[in-house]
Amino acid sequence: MDIQIRQSNRNDIELITNMVASLLKELGDRDVNNKELIDICSNLINNEENLYTAFLACKDTECIGIITLSEFISLYGKGLCGLVLELYIVPNERSKGVGEKLINTVKKYGFQRGWSRVEVGAPDPEEWSKTVSFYKREGFQEIGPRLKYHLK
């Protein structure tokens, strides 16, 4: 079967939420609240500034992968940049080129949007070495750890 990659739209909010919820659960988040995710996703998708988008990998009518992105501006990035927020492939479709197709779609999208770079916050390389290796194979370079501070 051919895998089709398409940009999400407002009708995909529940699908995006379900895919991201699966990723979060796999990463160990036991407190995934789908209702809250749907509300957040709805706000992001419906934002007129178009700073958030998702691409879906579909096989027939089934969604087998997702990549979500945000656009930002920075001096160090010399202008517009993209940030991969989430990348998830259903387990039985991994290592079949789906992730590569999604990353290539992001690179083309970023080029069209005038981005100077695409960044990703990868999980702990000791625990998720296959994930980090995947990004490196796709041309990403390590730029250091990413830290967070919760405001809420």
Side-chain angles (χ1 to χ4, degrees):
M1 279 304 133
D2 243 2
I3 296 167
Q4 301 298 316
I5 308 293
R6 68 173 178 85
Q7 191 167 3
S8 66
N9 60 54
R10 289 182 170 104
N11 298 324
D12 295 315
I13 291 171
E14 192 171 329
L15 178 58
I16 294 167
T17 300
N18 289 338
M19 294 294 282
V20 171
S22 294
L23 168 66
L24 296 175
K25 288 174 187 171
E26 188 170 317
L27 291 173
D29 187 347
R30 291 183 174 87
D31 298 324
V32 176
N33 179 334
N34 277 32
K35 166 88 173 86
E36 181 182 37
L37 288 179
I38 287 172
D39 291 343
I40 294 168
C41 186
S42 180
N43 288 335
L44 293 172
I45 290 286
N46 291 312
N47 184 309
E48 291 181 17
E49 292 180 19
N50 240 1
L51 299 177
Y52 176 87
T53 195
F55 288 94
L56 307 170
C58 301
K59 190 177 187 181
D60 294 327
T61 59
E62 179 188 5
C63 184
I64 60 170
I66 186 171
I67 193 164
T68 64
L69 311 165
S70 184
E71 186 172 273
F72 68 96
I73 300 170
S74 75
L75 291 174
Y76 75 85
K78 299 182 176 132
L80 288 174
C81 305
L83 178 63
V84 173
L85 303 170
E86 294 106 2
L87 171 61
Y88 179 73
I89 312 297
V90 296
N92 63 327
E93 296 293 338
R94 293 180 185 161
S95 299
K96 295 181 180 179
V98 179
E100 180 182 357
K101 284 185 176 197
L102 286 167
I103 290 291
N104 286 335
T105 300
V106 166
K107 290 174 184 175
K108 288 176 192 166
Y109 179 77
F111 183 78
Q112 292 167 351
R113 301 272 304 177
W115 296 351
S116 63
R117 67 200 294 166
V118 177
E119 296 183 6
V120 62
D124 178 10
E126 288 185 22
E127 188 177 349
W128 298 92
S129 62
K130 286 179 73 174
T131 301
V132 174
S133 293
F134 164 76
Y135 284 117
K136 287 182 176 179
R137 272 194 319 276
E138 294 304 312
F140 287 80
Q141 302 165 352
E142 287 187 49
I143 57 173
R146 191 172 193 92
L147 306 172
K148 66 181 173 183
Y149 180 85
H150 286 280
L151 295 172
K152 294 181 186 183

